[in-house]
C-alpha cells in the first residue's frame, strides 16, 4: 500500500530520538530533557494536517529486483564518490578518521593491539551476534535467521568484493543470551577477545546497554543495534555504534499526540492504561509518555496508570485483569516477545477490547505474524482495530504487499532455506535490519583501502539510500554528527482482521532532521 508523505513528522517499526527517563519501578520521571522538542512539534504538525516543512516527493518504486539492484548501485556509487571527493576516511598517519558533518574517530585511543582488519581474511568476514533463542523472547532468533539469509545470499553472489580485489563471505557466530544482559557480557567478551570478530551485533536494549561502552572503547563496530533505544544515536561519544529503528521515545511521543488529539471523544478527559516491560526498553516508553503528559500540561486531562511485568514472566493475565478493572479509555502495549500475543488475547477475554476506545500496539509487537489469526486464535477478531505507529516497515505476511518485488524476493529466499516467512514477525524485522548491513559492507569495500572496520563505520555514517523494505516515501539517510538517525518517518496503521493486515490510516509523515543526537546518561536514564 502506498501512502503520501507529509514533510512534518512521525514514526515507526523501529525508529527515532530524544531523551528519556526511567526508574526501577518500571515508571520514570519526566523532565524538560525527556522529550525532543523538534520531534514533538513535528508530530503535532503532522497530525494537525500541517506540513511543518517541505513536502517529500514519493518517486515510483522499482518493479523488479533488477531495478532495485540498479538503483542501489547508483546510490552506492554516489556515496563512494562523495566520500572520495571530500577526502573522508583514515588520515595518512592512521590515527584518525573523518567523515561528513564533523564526524571523527580517534583511532589512537583504540589500544596497541587494535587492528582495523581484525576478523577479516582474504575470503571471510567474521561477524558476532548475540540475542535470545531461548526464554520468553526466544522468537528473537528470527531476526538473525533473516539477516543471515541475506548475508549468505549476497555473499554467494560475490557482492562483498573490495577495492583490493578480495571477495569475501560472511561467517556468522551466533550466541544465545536468553535476553539476559548478564549472559550477554561474557558472550560478547568471548567473541571479541577469543574469536576476534570484525563486528559485533547485539539484540535487545538492556543487553546492548551492557556492552556498548566497551565496544566503543575497543573500537569494534557495533552496527544497527536491534533495539529502538535512543542511546545508539550518539556519533560523538559512541561513534562505533549505530541504531536503525524508530526510537521508542519518538514512538511514545506519537502516542501522546494521537491521544491528545482525541480527548474530545472522551469529554475532554481520558484514562490511559499501559502494560510495561520492566527493563530499559519498557522504561523508555513509559517515561516518555509521562513526560508528554507533564510537558503538555495534561495532568488534569489524562489519568495514566501502569502495571509492569518482568521479561521472564510466564503470563500477563493478572496484570491485564488489573488494568481492565480500571476501565481505561486507551490501552497501550509496551512489550516485546511472548507477552505481545498474550496481551491481545487477554484484552479480548477480560473485556478490555470492548470497553477501551483505542488499543495501541507497540513496534516490537506490531506485525501480522503476531496479530494474525494463527496466533491469537478463534476467528482472529481479538486483533481487530488495534492501532500501530509503524516506522514504515513492510510485512512479508501482509496480503496487501504480496506483489511487492522485494517482499516476494525475501519471502522466496527464506523458503529456499526452509524458513516459513509467516512463522514469525521477527523475520520482517530481520529483513529491515539486514538490508543496510549488506549495503554498508559493499560500500566499505569500495572505499580506498577496501573493507576495514573504520571504512565500514564511515560507510554507515554516510549512507543515503532507498530501503526496499519500508513504505514508499521513507528513505534511509545518515550524515555524520548532524544526522545519526537512519530513518525518521512512519505512519499510523490499524489492524483489519478480515484482511489479516495492518492498514494505513494516516499519511506518512517525515521527521527528517528533527531529532537531536542522544548522549545517553545511564546514571539518570536521560539523553544529555
Amino acid at each position: 500500500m502506498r501512502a503520501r508523505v507529509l514533510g512534518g513528522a512521525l514514526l515507526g517499526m523501529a525508529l527515532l530520538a530524544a531523551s528519556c527517563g526511567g526508574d526501577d519501578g518500571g515508571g520514570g520521571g519526566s523532565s524538560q530533557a525527556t522529550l525532543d522538542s523538534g520531534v514533538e512539534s513535528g508530530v503535532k504538525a503532522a497530525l494537525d494536517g500541517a506540513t511543518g516543512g517541505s513536502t517529500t516527493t514519493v518517486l515510483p518504486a522499482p518493479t523488479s529486483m533488477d531495478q532495485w539492484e540498479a538503483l542501489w548501485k547508483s546510490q552506492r556509487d554516489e556515496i563512494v564518490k562523495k566520500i572520495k571527493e571530500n577526502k573522508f576516511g583514515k588520515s595518512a598517519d592512521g590515527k584518525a578518521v573523518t567523515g561528513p558533518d564533523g564526524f571523527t574517530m580517534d583511532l589512537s585511543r583504540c589500544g596497541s593491539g587494535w587492528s582495523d582488519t581484525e576478523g577479516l581474511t582474504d575470503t571471510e568476514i567474521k561477524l558476532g551476534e548475540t540475542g535470545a533463542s531461548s526464554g520468553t523472547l526466544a522468537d528473537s532468533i528470527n531476526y538473525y535467521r533473516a539477516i543471515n539469509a541475506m548475508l549468505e545470499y549476497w555473499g554467494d553472489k560475490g557482492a562483498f568484493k573490495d577495492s583490493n580485489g578480495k571477495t569475501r563471505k560472511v561467517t556468522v557466530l551466533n550466541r544465545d543470551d536468553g535476553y539476559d544482559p548478564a549472559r550477554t557480557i561474557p558472550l560478547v567478551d568471548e567473541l571479541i577477545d577469543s574469536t576476534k570478530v570484525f563486528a559485533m551485533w547485539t539484540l535487545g536494549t538492556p543487553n546492548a546497554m551492557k556492552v556498548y561502552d566497551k565496544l566503543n572503547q575497543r573500537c569494534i563496530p557495533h552496527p544497527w543495534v536491534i533495539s529502538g533505544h535512543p542511546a545508539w544515536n550518539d556519533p560523538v561519544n559512541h561513534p562505533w555504534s549505530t541504531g536503525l529503528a524508530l526510537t521508542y521515545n519518538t514512538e511514545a511521543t506519537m502516542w501522546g499526540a494521537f491521544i491528545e488529539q482525541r480527548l474530545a471523544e472522551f469529554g475532554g478527559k481520558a484514562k490511559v492504561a499501559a502494560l510495561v516491560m520492566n527493563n530499559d526498553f519498557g522504561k523508555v516508553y513509559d517515561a516518555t509518555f509521562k513526560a508528554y503528559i507533564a510537558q503538555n500540561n495534561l495532568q488534569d486531562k489524562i489519568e495514566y496508570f501502569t502495571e509492569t511485568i518482568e521479561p521472564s514472566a510466564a503470563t500477563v493475565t493478572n496484570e491485564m485483569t488489573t488494568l481492565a478493572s480500571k476501565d481505561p479509555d486507551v490501552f497501550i502495549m509496551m512489550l516485546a516477545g511472548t507477552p505481545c500475543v498474550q496481551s491481545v488475547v487477554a484484552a479480548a477475554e477480560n473485556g478490555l477490547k470492548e470497553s477501551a476506545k483505542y488499543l495501541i500496539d507497540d513496534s516490537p509487537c506490531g506485525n501480522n505474524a503476531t496479530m494474525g489469526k494463527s496466533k491469537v486464535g478463534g476467528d482472529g477478531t481479538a486483533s481487530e482495530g488495534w492501532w500501530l505507529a509503524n516506522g514504515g516497515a513492510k510485512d512479508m505476511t501482509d496480503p496487501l504487499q504480496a506483489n511487492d518485488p522485494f517482499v516476494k524476493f525475501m519471502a522466496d529466499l527464506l523458503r529456499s532455506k526452509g524458513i516459513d516467512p509467516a512463522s514469525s514477525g521477527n523475520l520482517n524485522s530481520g529483513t529491515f535490519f539486514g538490508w543496510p548491513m549488506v549495503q554498508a559492507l559493499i560500500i566499505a569495500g569500495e572505499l580506498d583501502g577496501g573493507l576495514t572496520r573504520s571504512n565500514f563505520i564511515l560507510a554507515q555514517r554516510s549512507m543515503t539510500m532507498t530501503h526496499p523494505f519500508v513504505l514508499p516515501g521513507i528513505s534511509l539517510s545518515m550524515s555524520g554528527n548532524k544526522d545519526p538517525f537512519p530513518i525518521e518517518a512512519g505512519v499510523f496503521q490499524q489492524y483489519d482482521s478480515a484482511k489479516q493486515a495492518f492498514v494505513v490510516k494516516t499519511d506518512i509523515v517525515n521527521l527528517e532532521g528533527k531529532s537531536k543526537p542522544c548522549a545517553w546518561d545511564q546514571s539518570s536514564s536521560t539523553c544529555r
Side-chain angles (χ1 to χ4, degrees):
M1 168 160 299
R2 186 179 294 270
R4 188 162 48 87
V5 177
L6 281 181
L10 191 54
L11 151 82
M13 159 196 140
L15 264 110
L16 243 264
S19 317
C20 2
D23 59 28
D24 291 338
S30 64
S31 70
Q32 292 302 314
T34 304
L35 293 181
D36 186 317
S37 59
V39 169
E40 183 185 3
S41 63
V43 166
K44 288 183 174 180
L47 294 183
D48 288 341
T51 61
S54 59
T55 300
T56 302
T57 302
V58 181
L59 299 175
T63 58
S64 69
M65 282 302 295
D66 286 344
Q67 289 182 13
W68 270 120
E69 292 281 10
L71 175 61
W72 300 334
K73 184 181 185 307
S74 68
Q75 292 175 337
R76 292 195 303 264
D77 288 348
E78 185 63 24
I79 294 166
V80 171
K81 177 182 176 183
K82 288 183 178 179
I83 289 173
K84 291 183 177 181
E85 286 181 346
N86 286 280
K87 295 181 170 50
F88 295 143
K90 190 184 291 188
S91 60
D93 61 8
K95 294 182 178 180
V97 174
T98 58
D101 288 311
F103 180 74
T104 61
M105 294 191 298
D106 183 356
L107 302 184
S108 67
R109 301 174 64 180
C110 296
S112 58
W114 180 79
S115 169
D116 209 6
T117 57
E118 188 155 280
L120 299 178
T121 68
D122 287 351
T123 59
E124 180 185 48
I125 305 166
K126 285 195 290 187
L127 174 64
E129 298 174 344
T130 59
S133 56
S134 61
T136 57
L137 273 78
D139 191 67
S140 298
I141 189 62
N142 284 300
Y143 279 92
Y144 287 131
R145 295 176 80 192
I147 289 168
N148 298 342
M150 300 173 80
L151 292 171
E152 183 177 359
Y153 172 82
W154 269 283
D156 287 345
K157 288 187 65 176
F160 306 132
K161 180 176 182 179
D162 71 22
S163 57
N164 294 326
K166 298 172 182 176
T167 301
R168 301 180 174 95
K169 294 184 180 182
V170 179
T171 297
V172 174
L173 301 149
N174 186 278
R175 303 289 186 267
D176 173 24
D177 62 17
Y179 196 61
D180 180 353
R183 291 171 59 183
T184 306
I185 297 169
L187 293 175
V188 168
D189 287 344
E190 178 253 317
L191 288 165
I192 64 177
D193 292 329
S194 299
T195 308
K196 298 187 181 301
V197 295
F198 173 78
M200 190 66 239
W201 214 328
T202 61
L203 188 156
T205 296
N207 312 74
M209 197 71 72
K210 290 294 186 182
V211 298
Y212 89 125
D213 280 336
K214 176 190 299 181
L215 293 172
N216 277 269
Q217 291 161 3
R218 298 275 298 273
C219 301
I220 298 169
H222 186 207
W224 316 123
V225 180
I226 302 177
S227 154
H229 198 285
W232 327 131
N233 304 284
D234 180 18
V236 174
N237 302 292
H238 294 86
W240 297 87
S241 294
T242 51
L244 182 64
L246 189 71
T247 58
Y248 302 134
N249 49 334
T250 294
E251 190 177 352
T253 300
M254 296 304 309
W255 300 335
F258 180 88
I259 294 168
E260 183 182 11
Q261 188 184 59
R262 289 160 173 76
L263 283 175
E265 297 179 24
F266 311 110
K269 294 185 178 182
K271 295 167 67 177
V272 179
L275 183 59
V276 184
M277 187 163 279
N278 188 29
N279 60 11
D280 293 315
F281 151 69
K283 290 177 184 179
V284 172
Y285 278 140
D286 182 44
T288 306
F289 190 74
K290 285 180 177 177
Y292 187 94
I293 293 171
Q295 294 181 29
N296 286 277
N297 297 314
L298 298 172
Q299 297 92 328
D300 295 332
K301 297 181 179 180
I302 295 179
E303 179 186 357
Y304 176 54
F305 45 90
T306 67
E307 289 287 317
T308 60
I309 62 164
E310 297 303 317
S312 58
T315 129
V316 302
T317 302
N318 291 340
E319 292 80 7
M320 287 294 290
T321 299
T322 299
L323 292 171
S325 71
K326 297 180 183 294
D327 195 26
D329 300 299
V330 180
F331 171 75
I332 306 175
M333 185 189 299
M334 303 182 185
L335 306 169
T338 303
C340 299
V341 177
Q342 291 177 337
S343 296
V344 173
V345 173
E349 292 177 345
N350 65 26
L352 181 58
K353 182 179 184 298
E354 297 302 320
S355 62
K357 176 76 172 178
Y358 293 99
L359 301 166
I360 299 178
D361 199 354
D362 66 354
S363 55
C365 301
N367 53 73
N368 192 45
T370 295
M371 304 295 283
K373 181 178 179 179
S374 63
K375 294 291 185 179
V376 302
D379 60 4
T381 56
S383 302
E384 176 66 27
W386 280 76
W387 287 83
L388 170 68
N390 177 17
K394 295 178 182 177
D395 189 335
M396 284 180 283
T397 65
D398 186 340
L400 303 178
Q401 299 173 14
N403 294 323
D404 179 291
F406 188 80
V407 168
K408 185 176 185 304
F409 157 78
M410 193 61 202
D412 288 343
L413 175 62
L414 291 173
R415 290 190 191 97
S416 74
K417 298 183 180 301
I419 303 170
D420 178 3
S423 62
S424 170
N426 286 329
L427 294 167
N428 292 303
S429 302
T431 301
F432 175 79
F433 280 91
W435 178 83
M437 182 66 167
V438 169
Q439 301 304 316
L441 287 171
I442 296 174
I443 293 167
E446 295 176 352
L447 300 177
D448 294 339
L451 179 62
T452 62
R453 285 172 158 177
S454 56
N455 274 347
F456 177 62
I457 296 297
L458 180 58
Q460 290 181 280
R461 298 290 181 184
S462 306
M463 188 181 292
T464 296
M465 298 188 71
T466 305
H467 196 314
F469 206 66
V470 297
L471 295 174
I474 298 177
S475 64
L476 186 156
S477 179
M478 299 178 76
S479 186
N481 291 352
K482 182 179 179 181
D483 182 11
F485 302 97
I487 296 177
E488 298 179 76
V491 64
F492 273 108
Q493 297 173 307
Q494 190 176 26
Y495 198 77
D496 185 325
S497 60
K499 295 179 179 178
Q500 288 289 282
F502 276 103
V503 177
V504 173
K505 290 293 184 179
T506 68
D507 293 321
I508 295 175
V509 292
N510 183 9
L511 287 171
E512 188 66 38
K514 294 184 178 294
S515 307
K516 296 177 183 177
C518 173
W520 186 252
D521 184 343
Q522 293 200 45
S523 64
S524 63
S525 293
T526 59
C527 297
R528 298 192 302 271

